[in-house]
Amino acid sequence: MYETKGMVITMKLFLEIFITFFKIGCLAFGGGYAVIAILQKEVVELKQWVDNDELTDIMAISQTLPGIIFVNSATMIGYRKKGVSGALIATFASILPTFFLILLLTFVIWGFTDNIIVRKAFTGILLGVTALILNSVKKTWKTAVKQYSDIVLALMATALLLFTNVNVVYILLIMAGLGFAKNLYYIRVEGKGNEIH
Amino acid sequence: MKFIELFLVFLKIGAVSFGGGYAMIPFFETEMVSHNWVSLTDYVKVIAIAQVVPGPFAVDSSSYIGFKVAGILGALIATIALCIPSFTASVIITKFYAQFKTNKYVNALLMGVRPAVLGLLISAAYIIGIKPLYQVSNTLISWTMLKAIIVIGIGYYVLNQKKVKIGTFTFIVATAVVGIISF
């Protein structure tokens, strides 16, 4: 008797997690800061699954882990609410809308992409996206550059990516290794070195 | 086997793409071009379309590339593979968060990778903004390229001015109009 009741409650919670993250997935336009605002409204204010401080922590970690930031945060919130199965449902529900919408929309629009007007519009959009990317260069710069050596590392990575044929995975691993070694060195000498801030 | 190849490639991208978001573009570009899966011309179309689709654009990329290679099952496999590393890392880190937060070696690694993420973003800007135009005209010095750089500059200025707050959606629609008028 009690077991069935417990199961009904669990199923209800799973459904709630699914619906909430499906909704977030449908609303998550614009990425980054826009998504934080949506999570704040849905998960902090409406559902109260995590508080504001926890969400700030979650977003900070999400950005440092590899992979999709949005998936990282969905996984962490789902996990806090209902363990691994909660995390699985949250992740699955949050990417479901994107998964189907892009295939559907691509299917519908593809025939028009050779049209001259659409092509010009796409060129404009891609230049807009480039401006958005430069904007995140600016934002990332603030958190990534703590010492002058960080600028050197960033420029080295850029040069390797743009001017050599070395696979991007190796470039990332090499640069991450260098950054790690550099930070270890500063931990060891305990000096602040040539710190900018 | 196509499915295994898709799975392994996207698993790899998911595991190493620190920084997320636009910083993932160089990974997708390298893999799809070297495997001959999707051309850059087609991929940038998908990125343009992805601007009006909600959710992470990495999922737009994985489902489109996966679909192109092996249909709907390919889309599913690519997307799941892409999410597995994020998912696993997120679960582990939530479990051991207290230890991770104060561990100086973890912090040294997470901070150490950030300059590389900057490099990835700058190269993403090149792949999306300049490279497609370069592939058409085969020169970096042209009237079109100058116009493109001006549009990017104005876009960047608009995003960073403080007077009017502009949503991403409005911004994208405006850039489409600018594209139709000026190209």
Side-chain angles (χ1 to χ4, degrees):
Chain A
M1 176 67 196
Y2 286 113
E3 276 176 19
T4 11
K5 206 175 163 189
M7 239 176 70
V8 170
I9 292 171
T10 311
M11 290 313 286
K12 257 179 109 171
L13 182 59
F14 282 154
L15 190 67
E16 219 181 318
I17 294 175
F18 184 89
I19 292 171
T20 303
F21 278 93
F22 188 80
K23 188 175 159 195
I24 294 169
C26 290
L27 295 173
F29 284 99
Y33 293 94
V35 172
I36 298 180
I38 295 163
L39 285 172
Q40 224 146 23
K41 184 158 192 310
E42 297 297 324
V43 184
V44 179
E45 282 173 31
L46 291 178
K47 294 289 173 193
Q48 298 179 343
W49 286 341
V50 292
D51 62 34
N52 243 324
D53 285 347
E54 278 178 293
L55 183 66
T56 311
D57 262 359
I58 287 171
M59 291 318 293
I61 310 165
S62 299
Q63 281 158 30
T64 51
L65 291 178
I68 308 166
I69 296 169
F70 186 53
V71 168
N72 293 339
S73 44
T75 305
M76 286 187 209
I77 296 167
Y79 185 82
R80 271 160 207 245
K81 197 61 208 156
K82 200 74 188 114
V84 173
S85 32
L88 266 176
I89 291 171
T91 305
F92 179 68
S94 65
I95 60 175
L96 209 54
T98 316
F99 182 81
F100 282 113
L101 280 175
I102 188 71
L103 293 180
L104 188 73
L105 212 61
T106 309
F107 186 72
V108 173
I109 293 177
W110 209 257
F112 300 99
T113 53
D114 283 330
N115 175 288
I116 185 80
I117 305 269
V118 176
R119 232 170 37 205
K120 286 179 175 183
F122 274 27
T123 303
I125 290 174
L126 290 171
L127 296 175
V129 173
T130 309
L132 286 167
I133 297 174
L134 291 180
N135 208 27
S136 54
V137 169
K138 192 189 87 181
K139 281 177 190 150
T140 309
W141 186 280
K142 285 181 190 154
T143 60
V145 176
K146 300 285 181 211
Q147 296 162 328
Y148 288 116
S149 48
D150 291 326
I151 301 177
V152 177
L153 288 176
L155 293 180
M156 263 171 76
T158 311
L160 285 171
L161 286 163
L162 291 184
F163 304 119
T164 70
N165 284 325
V166 183
N167 187 291
V168 49
V169 174
Y170 298 125
I171 296 177
L172 181 91
L173 293 179
I174 292 165
M175 297 313 297
L178 283 177
F180 182 48
K182 185 210 74 173
N183 287 344
L184 280 187
Y185 172 76
Y186 281 115
I187 289 173
R188 195 135 309 164
V189 298
E190 283 295 343
K192 296 279 181 200
N194 50 348
E195 210 163 289
I196 291 176
H197 300 293
Chain B
M1 191 53 196
K2 273 189 304 191
F3 292 119
I4 297 171
E5 207 181 339
L6 265 179
F7 183 83
L8 290 178
V9 165
F10 280 89
L11 191 72
K12 182 172 78 181
I13 297 177
V16 293
S17 56
F18 282 89
Y22 295 127
M24 295 173 88
I25 288 175
F27 293 98
F28 290 123
E29 197 240 7
T30 311
E31 293 298 341
M32 74 196 187
V33 172
S34 70
H35 284 85
N36 246 328
W37 283 340
V38 175
S39 70
L40 180 63
T41 323
D42 280 354
Y43 181 59
V44 292
K45 283 184 198 169
V46 177
I47 291 191
I49 296 170
Q51 300 310 310
V52 294
V53 175
F57 98 100
V59 173
D60 295 304
S61 307
S62 65
S63 36
Y64 175 76
I65 298 171
F67 187 81
K68 266 316 250 209
V69 176
I72 191 81
L73 195 58
L76 204 61
I77 286 174
T79 304
I80 290 173
L82 186 69
C83 293
I84 287 175
S86 318
F87 183 84
T88 318
S90 298
V91 166
I92 292 172
I93 213 149
T94 312
K95 232 174 169 169
F96 301 104
Y97 180 53
Q99 287 106 297
F100 273 123
K101 201 178 176 182
T102 49
N103 187 300
K104 58 185 176 185
Y105 296 107
V106 173
N107 281 319
L109 177 64
L110 294 180
M111 282 304 296
V113 80
R114 285 186 186 176
V117 172
L118 264 182
L120 287 170
L121 284 171
I122 296 169
S123 122
Y126 171 75
I127 293 169
I128 300 305
I130 306 297
K131 204 174 178 183
L133 297 174
Y134 176 73
Q135 284 188 340
V136 172
S137 60
N138 225 349
T139 168
L140 278 175
I141 303 149
S142 68
W143 180 224
T144 316
M145 206 62 93
L146 181 69
K147 278 195 289 188
I149 289 166
I150 292 171
V151 172
I152 295 171
I154 293 172
Y156 183 77
Y157 172 78
V158 169
L159 287 171
N160 282 285
Q161 50 84 30
K162 299 269 187 293
K163 281 182 209 142
V164 196
K165 203 94 193 91
I166 294 164
T168 314
F169 203 83
T170 321
F171 181 73
I172 292 302
V173 174
T175 55
V177 175
V178 169
I180 293 170
I181 294 167
S182 54
F183 283 92

